[in-house]
Each structure stands twice: as C-alpha cells, then as structure tokens.
C-alpha cells in the first residue's frame, strides 16, 4: 500500500476562476494521488517517477469561489492525510470570490528567505525559533487568526552546502565524506534528504498544506555564490563532482519547487512536464532538461508571473539567468530581461500593486552597494590586470554578487521600476521583495531631477526580509549598520572614486531597520492602499511566538 512520504503542499490557487488549485505530494510507491474536498471539489493524478521517487501534482477543480473548504489526500483510494492523530486543524483550500466584488477584501502576501531547517539539538535551537514554525503555531491555535493569501519563499529553501549532523550521517551511510564534496550534497538522492528535513517538520508541513506558496531559488539551494562570475563557473566545472551537483540541484528544484509555481494551464502546456509524466521513469528526461538548462540558460525559464486580484507578482530568477562574461555581465540575459519588462509594463491599469520577487536585493546599504560596483569595475579591468585578479578574490570572499555587482543591470532595473511606477495607469506601489542578507530593512529611492523628468507616482520600495531561520555573525551586523551611516556613505564614495564607477542613477534612504532575527514580512494590499507588518519569532516559556516589530502604512497621501 502506498504511503505519503512528503506533503501535501498547497501550491497554486487560481485567482482568475476561483475554482482551481494544485496540491503536491510525494508517495512511497507508484499510485494514483487524489484530493477530495468537503465541498465536492476533487482532482486525481498518477504519480511520475524520478530517481526512484514518486510524485504527483494534483489539479483540484470544482472549488467554490469565495470559500474555505477542508481537503483530504488519498493514495490508491486509501486516506493518508490528514493523519488520524493530527493535532492540527484540517488542511483547507481558500479561494477568492470571482468576479472580485468592488469591496473585495485585502490580499495578504507574506514573504521571507533563508531557512536552515535542521531540528534543534535536545530541544535547544541555537539560532532561535523558526519563523515558519511560529506562524504555523499562531494559525493552528487560533481559528480567527488572519492567514496569508500566499507565502513567498525567496530563496535558500534548502542548504545543499551546509548540511545538518543528521543529514551528514545519512550521507555518510552512502559514501566516503573524505572525498569531495564531503558533507555537502552530491546527487539527487541527497537532495531528497534536505527536503525531507525541511518539509517533514510537523508545523511547517501543516502550514504548507494550507497556505499557498510561491518559491524561487537562491545560491544555497545549489551552492554558496552560485554563478557569481565566469571564472567561478570555470573553476567549478573543472571539479569532478560539480556536474552531478548542478544537474541534481536543478532536477530537484524542478520537482520540489518549480512545478508548484505554475498554473494548471502552464503545466498543461509544459513539454518537459508532459514528457516526464508520460515516461515509466522520467529520470533521464529530467536529467537531460537540467543539464541543458545549465549549459544554456535560454533552454529554461524559472521566472514566472502570478496574479492575486489587483496584485501582480513577478518572481525573477537572478541566479541561473545571468550573463557572466566579464565585459558583458548582466543579472538577466536578454530574453529574461525582455520578459520582465513586458510583464511589468503590460496591461497598465489592470493592477494596483506590482511586486517584484528577487532573492537578491536591488537596494543595499550604500557602502555595500558602492563596494560591489567598485569590485565589478576592478574585475572588469578598470585598474589593470593585477587589480582584476584581486577583485575576483574579493568578489568570492565577500559574496559581492547582488544587483550592484552588475552595474548595467542595476541601472536598467532602476529605470524600469521608475517607468513602471509612472504615467497613466501606474500602480499605487511598486515593491521589490528580497531576502539573502540575513536581516530586514526598508529602502526608498529618491530620483534626481524628479520635477524635470517625472518622478514615479507609485510608491517604489525595496522590502528585504531574511532570515526565516538562520543566524548572522555580530561583526556582519555591525557592518550592515555602518553601511547606512554617513561615514559608511563617505567610504563608499571613496571606493567609487577609486573604481571610476560614477554615481548611481538615484540616491536612496533607509526608511526602516535594520532588524535582525528570524522574521517574516507581510504586505496587506487593499484597493490602492498598502500596509507592511514585520514579525519576529521569539522564544517564550510557552513556546515560540511571533511578535510584531513593525506596522506601517505605505500609501498615505497616495
């Protein structure tokens, strides 16, 4: 009899029809996965096989718009979810009313990144309580608690290069850890261990079964500094273990994260998904797709669009979509940049809020920004070959790989955001949502010559929130704080002078933060109004709790 190995994860809820959703599961053997809802909605799908594992993404149809309905999961007709002894409320699917009424309720978008999922040793968590665990506890214990309409996980959902003692023991049972890549993940099977550790956490398992999620990768989903430079890629490809690591990383991302980002219509049109499902064993088909995507990024698009009523979300791949040749460096290759521009500017007036999900922040503390543009200039040869070699070493050691490290891309995105927030039909807000840097802050751009060139009418903001469950050394905290200071700005301009980088296209100010801790931000978007909440997970005698650190209105006088 088939058992439920992992899941269910509620991934996609259709805001256009209000009647469809997708639910992801992993089973212990080949079977037919079925989802049955209390209101009569249902869906079923046979599993597909990859590397001896069995998965299904069930499209649920017939949901009642504007409702919340519990559901159960069956494998070959046997109920496997919810567990008989579950301490959690029933998993449910909430759908929006369609068509959206004039006085439609708010859309709540929670987001964060960087979740190291290792369970605490002997009940003590050295890096503090997990924000997702704390969110699950709040929602499960209070039926009246307000749930997010969607949870955005902005990268580092798993750490392939920083495994826990438990995962390390599982790896050691398979191979010799004295051989590269040591205790890091080597292949697809070891990636499954990471997802087991992350998603079998009982609180997180229930949370992801009842709150829809959107995901995008960052570097630790594969390896620290993934695709930081052309020289880095060349060095990695010269190792005997890298090919299997990157192929397995992209394969597992496709199975565990990417598929659930797609709508039922996109799934239906996806030739790779069709081929994997049609094969008795989809391993070689998916392996070929992952290998070709690594060799030629134009062969796959990991970015995608989601719509939540009058809210448009664009999740952007800022890792695999890069152009890395030193004199042509770009955060997004040409095809990806065209896609993002078209999606940002299409159907002006059809949305009140535009959200850009990018794992890497667009706006950083000014000193950090200037250090990255200075480093990019050195690596590009601005100060000669010796400085270029020095710059590459500094780039890798300092993780200098954000938008600022791709100066042309930074300027391009800055102008695109201004354009998207300007003119007739402009949204009320344009928010760049990011993580990666293990702290939270709000940054607001201030464009020069605004009166002459036309300032955006939208409120344009960088909202950064990280980590969900991780730590940051004290000296780095001090460095980020210094990066916003007047002295830090002065030092940054000195680096810019040395690198001959010129000035950025606009200035920006810190409008909130920095905040350190395990945390989540939530945007509440109602009509053309927007509000932001930041909560942090705190250990209390009664258990982990979420405590509100910030509540702020973003659209006053707009």
């Amino acid at each position: 009899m088939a058992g439920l190995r992992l899941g269910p994860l509620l991934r996609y809820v259709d805001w256009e029809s209000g009647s469809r959703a997708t639910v992801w599961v992993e089973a212990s053997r080949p079977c037919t996965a079925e989802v049955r809802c209390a209101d009569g909605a249902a869906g079923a799908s046979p599993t597909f096989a990859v590397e001896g594992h069995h998965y299904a993404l069930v499209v649920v149809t017939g949901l009642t718009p504007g409702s919340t309905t519990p559901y159960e999961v069956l494998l070959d007709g046997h109920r496997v979810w919810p567990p008989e002894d579950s301490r959690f409320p029933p998993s449910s699917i909430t759908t929006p009313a369609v068509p959206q009424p004039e006085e439609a309720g708010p859309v709540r978008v929670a987001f964060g990144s960087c979740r190291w999922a290792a369970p605490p040793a002997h009940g003590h968590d050295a890096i503090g309580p997990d924000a997702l665990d704390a969110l699950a506890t709040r929602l499960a214990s209070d039926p009246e608690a307000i749930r997010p309409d969607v949870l955005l996980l902005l990268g580092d959902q798993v750490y392939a290069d920083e495994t826990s003692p438990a995962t390390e023991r599982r790896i050691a049972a398979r191979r010799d850890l004295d051989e590269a890549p040591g205790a890091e993940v080597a292949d697809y099977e070891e990636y499954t261990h990471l997802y087991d550790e992350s998603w079998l956490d009982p609180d997180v398992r229930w949370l992801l079964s009842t709150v829809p999620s959107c995901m995008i990768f960052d570097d630790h989903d594969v390896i620290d500094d993934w695709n930081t430079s052309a020289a880095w890629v060349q060095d990695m490809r010269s190792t005997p273990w890298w090919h299997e690591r990157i192929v397995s990383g992209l394969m597992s991302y496709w199975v565990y994260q990417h598929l659930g980002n797609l709508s039922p219509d996109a799934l239906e049109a996806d030739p790779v998904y069709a081929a994997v499902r049609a094969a008795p064993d989809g391993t070689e088909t998916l392996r070929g797709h992952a290998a070709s995507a690594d060799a030629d990024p134009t062969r796959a698009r990991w970015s995608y669009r989601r719509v939540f009523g009058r809210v448009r979300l664009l999740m952007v791949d800022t890792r695999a979509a890069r152009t890395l040749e030193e004199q042509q460096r770009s955060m997004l290759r040409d095809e990806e940049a065209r896609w993002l521009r078209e999606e940002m500017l299409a159907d002006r007036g059809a949305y009140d809020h535009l959200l850009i999900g990018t794992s890497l922040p667009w706006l950083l503390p000014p000193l950090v920004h200037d250090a990255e543009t200075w480093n990019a200039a050195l690596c590009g040869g601005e100060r000669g070959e010796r400085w270029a070699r020095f710059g590459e070493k500094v780039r890798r050691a300092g993780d200098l790989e954000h938008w600022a490290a791709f100066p042309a891309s930074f300027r391009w995105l800055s102008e695109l955001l201004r354009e998207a927030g300007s003119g007739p039909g402009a949204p009320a807000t344009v928010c760049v949502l990011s993580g990666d840097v293990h702290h939270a802050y709000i940054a607001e751009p201030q464009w020069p010559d605004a009166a002459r060139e036309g300032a955006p009418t939208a409120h344009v903001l960088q909202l950064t929130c990280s980590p969900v469950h991780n730590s940051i050394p004290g000296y780095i905290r001090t460095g980020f704080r210094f990066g916003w200071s007047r002295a830090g700005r002065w030092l940054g301009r000195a680096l810019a002078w040395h690198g001959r980088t010129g000035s950025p296209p606009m200035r920006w100010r810190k409008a909130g933060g920095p905040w350190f801790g395990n945390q989540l931000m939530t945007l509440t978007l109602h009509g053309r109004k927007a509000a932001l909440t930041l909560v942090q997970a705190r250990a209390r005698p009664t258990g982990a709790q979420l405590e509100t650190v910030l509540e702020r209105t973003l659209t006053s006088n707009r």
Side-chain angles (χ1 to χ4, degrees):
M1 183 171 62
L4 185 64
R5 284 202 72 254
L6 200 56
L9 277 74
L10 175 61
R11 295 303 313 273
Y12 183 95
V13 172
D14 191 343
W15 277 65
E16 294 183 10
S17 71
S19 63
R20 299 187 300 175
T22 63
V23 176
W24 182 98
V25 298
E26 181 182 353
S28 62
R29 53 174 289 178
C31 63
T32 295
E34 184 180 0
V35 175
R36 294 180 186 171
C37 300
D39 67 355
S45 176
T47 57
F48 60 88
V50 175
E51 293 284 5
H53 292 257
H54 307 280
Y55 310 94
L57 187 61
V58 180
V59 178
V60 182
T61 59
L63 291 161
T64 303
S67 70
T68 297
T69 181
Y71 73 89
E72 59 184 15
V73 177
L74 299 88
L75 300 179
D76 283 343
H78 173 70
R79 196 185 85 161
V80 294
W81 187 270
E84 294 292 343
D85 57 350
S86 175
R87 60 183 171 88
F88 296 99
S91 300
S92 60
I93 302 174
T94 298
T95 55
V98 176
Q100 292 281 300
E102 269 189 37
E103 295 300 319
V107 176
R108 296 180 177 87
V109 180
F111 62 96
S113 78
C114 306
R115 180 174 180 264
W116 199 67
H122 310 296
H124 172 68
D125 195 335
I127 60 177
D130 188 321
L132 289 191
D133 281 340
L135 176 60
T137 298
R138 172 188 283 185
L139 299 183
S141 63
D142 181 3
E144 302 303 317
I146 297 174
R147 295 184 179 184
D149 292 293
V150 65
L151 174 63
L152 311 185
L153 299 176
L154 295 168
D156 296 345
Q157 277 68 264
V158 295
Y159 280 71
D161 53 348
E162 298 178 24
T163 57
S164 69
T167 296
E168 185 174 333
R169 287 191 294 271
R170 293 182 71 179
I171 293 173
R174 303 181 70 237
R175 58 180 174 82
D176 186 354
L177 297 188
D178 290 333
E179 298 181 3
E184 298 184 15
V185 164
D187 59 20
Y188 187 92
E189 181 62 28
E190 293 174 9
Y191 263 104
T192 70
H193 301 341
L194 298 182
Y195 285 101
D196 287 350
E197 187 171 59
S198 183
W199 292 354
L200 284 177
D201 174 321
D203 297 275
V204 170
R205 190 176 195 180
W206 175 81
L207 178 70
L208 295 179
S209 76
T210 204
V211 175
S213 55
C214 297
M215 306 181 189
I216 195 71
F217 47 43
D218 199 18
D219 56 343
H220 290 286
D221 291 273
V222 176
I223 193 171
D224 190 25
D225 298 341
W226 176 30
N227 280 350
T228 193
S229 68
W232 181 93
V233 171
Q234 182 178 4
D235 288 348
M236 295 305 295
R237 287 178 174 172
S238 69
T239 65
W241 56 270
W242 172 247
H243 179 75
E244 185 60 33
R245 169 73 153 271
I246 184 61
V247 169
S248 296
L250 293 176
M251 289 173 68
S252 61
Y253 176 78
W254 186 90
V255 170
Y256 286 86
Q257 299 190 50
H258 176 68
L259 284 181
N261 294 329
L262 305 181
S263 70
D265 293 337
L267 289 168
E268 187 71 24
D270 190 318
V272 178
Y273 184 55
V276 169
R277 295 182 71 201
D281 182 348
T283 300
E284 291 309 312
T285 297
L286 185 54
R287 177 174 290 276
H289 174 66
S292 66
D294 175 55
D296 179 4
T298 65
R299 301 294 297 274
R301 170 163 292 140
W302 307 109
S303 303
Y304 57 95
R305 181 179 91 159
R306 295 287 299 273
V307 175
F308 308 97
R310 299 276 301 175
V311 178
R312 177 176 295 179
L313 167 68
L314 302 176
M315 290 284 266
V316 185
D317 163 22
T318 53
R319 282 290 170 185
R322 297 175 175 184
T323 296
L324 296 175
E325 289 75 8
E326 205 61 58
Q327 302 306 320
Q328 304 175 40
R329 276 173 63 86
S330 177
M331 183 67 84
L332 305 177
R333 65 181 187 270
D334 291 346
E335 299 85 350
E336 200 77 7
R338 281 195 295 271
W339 175 87
L340 180 58
R341 178 178 177 81
E342 290 169 1
E343 293 290 348
M344 287 178 65
L345 301 180
D347 303 320
R348 304 271 291 181
Y351 52 92
D352 294 320
H353 304 277
L354 176 61
L355 310 180
I356 310 298
T358 163
S359 62
L360 302 175
W362 160 54
L363 298 180
L364 292 162
L367 170 57
V368 180
H369 174 93
D370 287 335
E372 295 202 5
T373 57
W374 164 77
N375 178 261
L378 296 189
C379 293
E382 183 64 34
R383 286 287 184 175
E385 187 176 337
R386 289 181 61 189
W387 278 103
R389 290 195 299 269
F390 171 75
E392 179 64 24
K393 293 178 181 178
V394 171
R395 174 156 60 190
R396 299 192 199 185
D399 292 349
L400 306 183
E401 51 170 346
H402 301 86
W403 283 90
F406 297 79
S409 295
F410 176 85
R411 292 175 178 273
W412 173 85
L413 179 62
S414 300
E415 181 56 34
L416 180 57
L417 290 166
R418 178 160 77 162
E419 184 178 354
S422 304
T429 64
V430 178
C431 296
V432 179
L433 314 181
S434 306
D436 180 67
V437 291
H438 289 209
H439 69 293
Y441 61 89
I442 304 168
E444 183 173 9
Q446 300 167 315
W447 276 277
D449 302 323
R452 179 170 61 85
E453 296 184 22
T457 55
H459 198 181
V460 181
L461 291 168
Q462 167 73 66
L463 305 176
T464 303
C465 186
S466 169
V468 169
H469 185 233
N470 214 313
S471 61
I472 183 170
Y475 71 91
I476 296 182
R477 295 187 186 206
T478 301
F480 277 124
R481 288 193 174 100
F482 180 71
W484 288 106
S485 69
R486 181 174 296 180
R489 288 178 182 270
W490 179 88
L491 179 57
R493 296 319 300 155
L495 290 174
W497 173 85
H498 179 263
R500 302 168 181 157
T501 65
S503 299
M506 76 289 183
R507 294 177 61 85
W508 55 95
R509 68 179 186 91
K510 175 172 63 68
W515 297 281
F516 298 93
N518 295 328
Q519 50 203 348
L520 289 167
M521 279 182 173
T522 299
L523 278 169
T524 301
L525 308 169
H526 195 183
R528 292 184 66 81
K529 298 179 181 179
L532 180 69
T533 304
L534 173 68
V535 294
Q536 292 185 336
R538 304 276 174 79
R540 295 292 179 256
T542 56
Q545 296 179 3
L546 288 180
E547 297 186 1
T548 300
V549 175
L550 172 76
E551 290 182 309
R552 180 177 297 181
T553 298
L554 301 180
T555 50
S556 57
N557 301 321
R558 289 180 182 271

